[in-house]
Amino acid sequence: MQRLLRALLLGLPLLSSSLLLAQTTGDISGRVSDEQGGALPGVTVEARSPAFQGARAAISDATGAFRLILLPPGTYKVSANLQGFARVEQTVVVALGKTATSEIRMSAAIREEVIVSGAAPVVDTSSTTVGTNIDNQKIRSLPTGRNYTSIVQISPGVSTQTSNTEAFANAITVYGSTALENSFVIDGVLTSGVEYGAQGKELNYEFIQELDVKTGGYQAEFGRSTGGIVNVITKSGGNEFHGEVFTYYDNNSLQANNKHKNETLFGTSEGFNRLDYGADLGGYILKDDLWFFGAYDRVQNTTKQLLTSGPNIGERADTDSTRDLASAKLTWKITSSHSLVGSFFQDPRDDVGAVNDGAHPLNGPFETFIGTQKFGGRDYSLRYNGLFGSNFVVAAQGAVHHEQNSVLPGLPGGDEIQYVDQRVNNAQTGGFGLIQEKKFKRYLGALSATTYLSNHEIKGGFEYLEDKADVVKRESGGQVVTILDILGYTGPPVYQHFYWTIPTANLPDNVPTSQLNATPYHRTFSFYLQDSWRVLPSLTVNAGLRYDNQKIYSGDGTQQINLTGSWAPRIGFAWDPTNDSRTKIFGSFGYFYEQIPMDLVIRSYSSERQPTIYNFDPTSIVPDATAAAIAGDDTAATLPGTPAFGGGGKIFGGFNDLTDPGLKGQYVREVILGAEREVIPNFAVGARLIYRDLPRVVEDYLCDLEFDYCVGNPTRGRMRSLFSLDVNSQFPAPAAKRIYKAFQLDATKRFSDHWSVLASYLYSKLQGNYDGLFAPYTQPRGTADPNISALYDYYDFFTAGPVKNGVAQPFTANGYLSNDRRHQVKVSGVYVTPFNLSLGIVSYYRTGTPISRIGLSGAYNRYEFFLLPRGSEGRIPADYEADLHLGYPLQLGPVTLTTLVDVFNVLNRQRAVVVDQRYNISEFDDPRQTCARGSGANGCNPDFGTALARTSPTSVRFAVKLGF
């Protein structure tokens, strides 16, 4: 609690706003006129809803305009009263982070009467933001996974990331950005993963009231994202008590047969048993003044894996997963204008059994992959909202976010040296390998102010973030030893030893095994100022400027990076040419800066020194120049006499990586043009053109002959040139390129008349040489290194192979990027029959992603070369699928019994979504060498092009809920 109060107080001295503070409520704005369209000043406009404590009221001004602010999402009854006129009541749906339009026309009446008109328009004619609101009706009625981000994928512009590992599979990408570039906010708390930037909190949808997915065009108050923003609010209580008990059940007996067993060496899914049960309760302690909500969900899941390689082939290796999900909220209306909200949510998870990731494939004895993984954590938040007068809003928030990501051995023999044998499909023997204990904390303090002056809505803001890490990494037995497969070599085995050593290690004699201990931290200050100016009743101009300053510190308190100059201008317009609040032509331009995750400071500024030693001994770490020469690592073999080289070995990294002077932040530049029209009540269609590129990135690179790595901006300063792998040559650093161009059509039907629909078509191209913060194929399976990928380490990694005699191989890194999908069609919808049976559907069609011919680098023992230009091997076949939902409520006196059935992958396509793009299993002397499909001769990979992951077989999930 002291940390929470400290975070809150840090923001209080500053009158300002932040990324997070404005996004737990919505607004209603409109105009009151008489029957001839003339302005009616002095009208009392009032909004009431079960979602809101009491009522919010405003008086229309001289132009008839009014605004009702700080309204939680929900359906409101808006009434207008003026003496001499008939009372008017209108239904208005307020969405999260949106301004609903309410145009009210009043008629003179001798006696007072009530006129109930239809719902307000769907189109927000003042907004330039592109995105999707997903309300509670969709959340309850669509067939989706239990993690809230599964439903986000119905949004136009959102896709599934290409990934060769489960850890980052099915993560969301937005308009060409990778899954590590989004921002995830729950109840105003930034929950993006501290280490990598991925989703950092899992919640099921019983806890959630509404989601707002911003895919582009958002104003200056939103930052720390070069992708999209997923904003979630959890449920609150109310003036009535509501609760439910729920249970979900699905297992392999409810799943179709796997058509592709034993397809890979990474195990075959044999099914699962999952039990998901919990309860929630919401209500009041004091009506209209103090509400509460609480929920708990226990998820137990056993994943069954059949081993398809190694000494235990044919046996089972299961993983037992336990999650304790919880959410709690107190909402206190201090006065009619001031409120305080306290939130708590958690997602701790323990996985015990088979660990199937990049460091622990299921191809060795049990000691190499049986372990314990620990994820998740707890979040606390305290938020204040205050309305001063009728046009000045202040909000303050403090929050603490916890998470962990640890992997530990699970068997007594797990803490021994691990051996990886390249000669037999990288089979592992010995111990567990990579061991990690990682814990993270984030503190947030922020304050906001918004004022409404005539036709201006002015916001200004400040936010403080502090991220902290406590990390230990080591190899079981002190090292991981690779037995190399060397083309044409028939002598005794050559061993490559890789491990962490002490910060003062020097070759050739003082290179003991050790571990990485890292306690670094980040501090970030942000502020913005923006104005939403209604120039004309039909024209709104949004202009703003955001500034972020991120400072990165190593564990000893030394400031290593100071990202200044991160100014992000945003400008946009929204024009209603019909002046009826049902049409919008809009456009926006903006810069969006990245928030660098902590992986960079852990690996680059925490005295990480990692030796690579070659010799002929399976345990010794004494370097041997002859072994290095046979392995083809010329630098380790021929550059003795420096601290980083020893004639048979080399040490990567130094005490701390060096930072280029004038380092600037990574950002995306975006332009959007579009139009939207409500063609009939509650139904709107739209069209958009989207352009995004990456003018500047942050990456690491080899910057001197002692194998120190620096962090810089490619093509700028010291990073104007890159070394070759043999460090004998330098070449101009290529500019990072990622260009996304798209045309989007969409149609939205708000739930009314028993049905709703969201449909979209997206045509896009994603080209360049830089995927972004996640490189799905050139990174080792199961890992991510945002801002420190291997691409810029050496010039050679942009080409087909190593530089030879100072001559570079052909430049092959350009082409269609990993997440390029040419066509995507999505349709989701809900229909409630007259007898209350709820039907939901989620369906899609998408073309496949590009296939590249990726080659092994012997120096890194990883796949870093594009042997041919990106995408030269065609594409994964197109895929299409559909999920169905049925729900039926049965009233049993005071309670309702609801039965739910979800059917996933109805068509049972089981199509490949990721294929093996590794072209060889040992480095080619001639990158132009070709391989016969399925051949393992001459260093070829016989599994090239085979599926690594597929869409799941058809499965059924049952659920029962008892609520009141």
Side-chain angles (χ1 to χ4, degrees):
M1 181 58 71
Q2 290 179 344
R3 293 283 193 182
L4 177 62
L5 292 175
R6 186 185 76 169
L8 178 60
L9 292 173
L10 281 168
L12 289 177
L14 299 165
L15 184 60
S16 50
S17 184
S18 72
L19 156 70
L20 309 175
L21 286 175
Q23 290 304 302
T24 59
T25 60
D27 299 339
I28 299 174
S29 69
R31 182 174 178 270
V32 187
S33 61
D34 58 24
E35 292 177 289
Q36 289 73 43
L40 281 180
V43 178
T44 300
V45 183
E46 186 179 78
R48 292 182 177 272
S49 170
F52 183 65
Q53 293 170 316
R56 179 75 76 216
I59 305 296
S60 62
D61 63 16
T63 67
F66 68 91
R67 180 179 287 269
L68 302 165
I69 56 180
L70 292 180
L71 300 175
T75 301
Y76 286 77
K77 293 295 184 182
V78 177
S79 61
N81 293 277
L82 183 65
Q83 187 173 3
F85 288 80
R87 181 176 181 270
V88 174
E89 187 177 276
Q90 186 181 70
T91 300
V92 177
V93 177
V94 174
L96 177 60
K98 298 290 191 295
T99 298
T101 301
S102 176
E103 298 294 332
I104 299 175
R105 183 158 292 191
M106 304 185 72
S107 58
I110 299 175
R111 60 187 179 84
E112 184 174 328
E113 59 182 342
V114 177
I115 301 173
V116 180
S117 58
V122 174
V123 178
D124 183 354
T125 56
S126 64
S127 174
T128 58
T129 300
V130 176
T132 306
N133 274 96
I134 303 174
D135 60 24
N136 197 252
Q137 176 72 34
K138 290 188 178 75
I139 293 171
R140 294 195 316 266
S141 303
L142 290 176
T144 60
R146 299 284 286 143
N147 183 2
Y148 74 86
T149 54
S150 62
I151 198 171
V152 170
Q153 298 191 36
I154 70 172
S155 303
V158 176
S159 187
T160 301
Q161 173 172 271
T162 296
S163 174
N164 60 350
T165 179
E166 184 180 356
F168 297 99
N170 298 318
I172 62 171
T173 71
V174 176
Y175 289 150
S177 299
T178 68
L180 304 186
E181 300 176 50
N182 304 309
S183 181
F184 298 89
V185 182
I186 303 176
D187 284 350
V189 182
L190 180 65
T191 62
S192 302
V194 178
E195 183 177 15
Y196 296 122
Q199 180 191 358
K201 188 65 57 179
E202 294 187 15
L203 293 181
N204 72 40
Y205 47 75
E206 271 84 18
F207 300 1
I208 293 171
Q209 179 63 33
E210 189 161 323
L211 294 91
D212 179 32
V213 185
K214 299 182 187 297
T215 53
Y218 32 91
Q219 295 189 47
E221 60 186 297
F222 306 104
R224 301 193 178 90
S225 170
T226 53
I229 293 176
V230 181
N231 185 29
V232 179
I233 59 166
T234 60
K235 292 180 179 179
S236 302
N239 282 332
E240 297 179 355
F241 291 100
H242 293 285
E244 63 182 1
V245 178
F246 55 85
T247 182
Y248 291 79
Y249 181 73
D250 51 345
N251 66 15
N252 52 278
S253 67
L254 302 174
Q255 187 178 61
N257 291 330
N258 187 336
K259 300 177 183 178
H260 304 278
K261 289 187 176 182
N262 307 324
E263 188 172 33
T264 75
L265 300 177
F266 305 123
T268 293
S269 174
E270 283 285 284
F272 59 92
N273 289 315
R274 181 164 46 235
L275 185 59
D276 179 342
Y277 57 93
D280 60 70
L281 177 66
Y284 64 89
I285 299 173
L286 297 172
K287 272 194 174 182
D288 276 333
D289 289 329
L290 185 59
W291 291 355
F292 75 90
F293 177 82
Y296 174 77
D297 183 17
R298 174 86 165 184
V299 184
Q300 295 172 293
N301 182 36
T302 297
T303 302
K304 306 172 184 178
Q305 296 279 353
L306 181 71
L307 300 178
T308 56
S309 62
N312 302 303
I313 187 170
E315 296 187 44
R316 281 256 306 273
D318 296 348
T319 304
D320 295 319
S321 177
T322 303
R323 301 180 188 180
D324 288 301
L325 306 176
S327 174
K329 182 183 285 186
L330 282 175
T331 306
W332 177 27
K333 186 185 73 173
I334 304 170
T335 71
S336 60
S337 300
H338 303 272
S339 65
L340 195 64
V341 180
S343 294
F344 164 79
F345 39 90
Q346 68 170 29
D347 67 336
R349 167 184 154 197
D350 289 341
D351 290 358
V352 179
V355 177
N356 189 6
D357 61 16
H360 310 95
L362 309 183
N363 63 0
F366 289 118
E367 288 81 3
T368 63
F369 59 79
I370 296 297
T372 297
Q373 296 175 278
K374 295 180 178 293
F375 305 99
R378 294 172 174 83
D379 289 69
Y380 307 86
S381 171
L382 189 64
R383 177 188 177 91
Y384 162 79
N385 288 319
L387 176 61
F388 295 85
S390 61
N391 63 355
F392 191 74
V393 177
V394 172
Q397 182 154 9
V400 181
H401 168 77
H402 297 260
E403 65 181 74
Q404 62 177 330
N405 181 13
S406 298
V407 186
L408 307 170
L411 295 177
D415 205 353
E416 302 291 338
I417 295 175
Q418 182 178 94
Y419 295 91
V420 180
D421 196 339
Q422 286 187 346
R423 302 168 302 177
V424 275
N425 294 313
N426 291 311
Q428 296 183 347
T429 56
F432 188 70
L434 180 62
I435 298 171
Q436 303 183 79
E437 297 180 71
K438 300 183 290 186
K439 296 181 180 180
F440 304 92
K441 291 182 181 179
R442 173 181 291 135
Y443 304 106
L444 170 124
L447 189 69
S448 75
T450 305
T451 187
Y452 304 89
L453 300 175
S454 184
N455 295 326
H456 296 266
E457 177 185 340
I458 301 172
K459 295 184 179 181
F462 172 86
E463 183 179 71
Y464 169 80
L465 285 180
E466 184 174 316
D467 292 339
K468 291 188 173 184
D470 188 352
V471 173
V472 176
K473 292 184 181 182
R474 65 185 181 91
E475 298 288 350
S476 64
Q479 58 177 311
V480 59
V481 179
T482 301
I483 307 170
L484 300 180
D485 183 23
I486 303 168
L487 280 177
Y489 176 70
T490 58
V494 175
Y495 296 93
Q496 181 191 71
H497 305 257
F498 181 83
Y499 53 95
W500 278 276
T501 190
I502 59 176
T504 57
N506 290 315
L507 284 165
D509 301 319
N510 181 31
V511 196
T513 60
S514 185
Q515 65 183 27
L516 173 71
N517 296 284
T519 57
Y521 58 97
H522 289 182
R523 287 176 178 165
T524 304
F525 301 87
S526 306
F527 62 85
Y528 78 89
L529 184 66
Q530 69 182 38
D531 182 16
S532 182
W533 176 27
R534 189 174 287 272
V535 182
L536 301 170
S538 60
L539 177 63
T540 301
V541 174
N542 296 315
L545 185 64
R546 181 182 178 88
Y547 181 78
D548 295 294
N549 178 211
Q550 184 176 14
K551 297 180 180 181
I552 294 177
Y553 298 83
S554 51
D556 62 1
T558 302
Q559 180 179 293
Q560 302 290 350
I561 291 178
N562 184 12
L563 293 177
T564 60
S566 299
W567 295 97
R570 315 277 175 84
I571 188 167
F573 72 92
W575 174 45
D576 178 5
T578 59
N579 205 23
D580 61 359
S581 298
R582 300 185 186 278
T583 303
K584 177 174 68 174
I585 298 173
F586 65 98
S588 65
F589 169 83
Y591 285 10
F592 302 86
Y593 275 86
E594 173 210 9
Q595 174 87 3
I596 294 179
M598 291 201 76
D599 179 61
L600 181 147
V601 69
I602 293 168
R603 297 208 57 212
S604 298
Y605 295 98
S606 299
S607 301
E608 179 180 79
R609 285 173 69 76
Q610 294 177 292
T612 299
I613 304 296
Y614 298 92
N615 59 31
F616 300 100
D617 191 288
T619 59
S620 170
I621 53 175
V622 176
D624 187 302
T626 301
I630 294 171
D633 193 338
D634 295 335
T635 54
T638 60
L639 286 175
T642 69
F645 297 87
K650 56 190 176 184
I651 304 177
F652 292 91
F655 289 98
N656 286 308
D657 277 16
L658 306 174
T659 303
D660 280 5
L663 179 71
K664 301 297 181 182
Q666 179 167 318
Y667 70 95
V668 158
R669 179 170 50 197
E670 177 191 84
V671 179
I672 296 178
L673 292 173
E676 193 172 352
R677 169 67 181 175
E678 185 176 19
V679 291
I680 58 175
N682 297 307
F683 187 86
V685 297
R688 294 157 179 79
L689 292 170
I690 302 103
Y691 174 88
R692 279 183 170 183
D693 67 1
L694 265 174
R696 185 169 65 220
V697 304
V698 173
E699 272 290 348
D700 71 332
Y701 66 106
L702 182 71
C703 55
D704 61 39
L705 292 178
E706 294 192 2
F707 265 46
D708 287 321
Y709 286 80
C710 296
V711 176
N713 299 127
T715 75
R716 301 168 187 265
R718 295 190 305 183
M719 207 175 174
R720 287 192 178 96
S721 62
L722 302 178
F723 278 104
S724 58
L725 274 165
D726 62 10
V727 299
N728 289 323
S729 307
Q730 286 185 285
F731 298 86
K737 292 183 179 180
R738 188 180 73 188
I739 299 174
Y740 180 83
K741 301 175 183 177
F743 171 67
Q744 176 181 309
L745 296 172
D746 51 61
T748 305
K749 165 69 166 59
R750 185 166 61 191
F751 188 81
S752 61
D753 302 322
H754 306 290
W755 67 285
S756 67
V757 72
L758 176 61
S760 64
Y761 166 71
L762 183 69
Y763 173 83
S764 64
K765 286 185 178 182
L766 180 63
Q767 296 171 283
N769 56 33
Y770 188 76
D771 277 308
L773 298 188
F774 181 72
Y777 297 115
T778 57
Q779 285 294 116
R781 180 174 174 267
T783 67
D785 277 327
N787 301 110
I788 51 172
S789 71
L791 181 64
Y792 276 95
D793 287 4
Y794 301 92
Y795 179 80
D796 312 63
F797 293 158
F798 286 89
T799 71
V803 170
K804 293 186 177 181
N805 300 318
V807 178
Q809 297 288 343
F811 193 97
T812 52
N814 283 334
Y816 291 112
L817 296 174
S818 302
N819 289 312
D820 177 61
R821 296 185 187 274
R822 197 53 42 83
H823 303 278
Q824 295 184 73
V825 179
K826 299 180 183 181
V827 178
S828 61
V830 175
Y831 174 65
V832 180
T833 68
F835 49 90
N836 284 332
L837 175 66
S838 174
L839 304 173
I841 185 171
V842 173
S843 59
Y844 69 86
Y845 167 87
R846 60 190 183 193
T847 51
T849 51
I851 302 174
S852 299
R853 186 181 292 187
I854 304 177
L856 180 72
S857 163
Y860 268 34
N861 197 24
R862 289 180 4 190
Y863 288 82
E864 304 293 351
F865 301 124
F866 287 91
L867 301 177
L868 293 177
R870 284 179 183 255
S872 295
E873 294 292 314
R875 289 179 178 268
I876 298 173
D879 183 33
Y880 54 90
E881 260 299 353
D883 304 329
L884 296 177
H885 168 91
L886 293 90
Y888 184 72
L890 180 64
Q891 196 69 36
L892 300 174
V895 299
T896 301
L897 179 66
T898 303
T899 303
L900 305 175
V901 180
D902 292 292
V903 184
F904 299 102
N905 296 333
V906 174
L907 304 177
N908 199 25
R909 300 273 293 167
Q910 298 189 35
R911 296 299 294 269
V913 292
V914 179
V915 300
D916 194 340
Q917 301 191 30
R918 301 171 301 168
Y919 196 69
N920 54 15
I921 56 176
S922 59
E923 186 177 314
F924 290 157
D925 287 331
D926 181 1
R928 296 169 296 181
Q929 176 181 328
T930 59
C931 298
R933 184 60 64 95
S935 171
N938 300 316
C940 295
N941 177 18
D943 298 317
F944 176 75
T946 60
L948 293 177
R950 293 181 177 271
T951 53
S952 299
T954 299
S955 63
V956 180
R957 182 181 68 197
F958 293 101
V960 177
K961 296 184 178 184
L962 186 65
F964 65 92

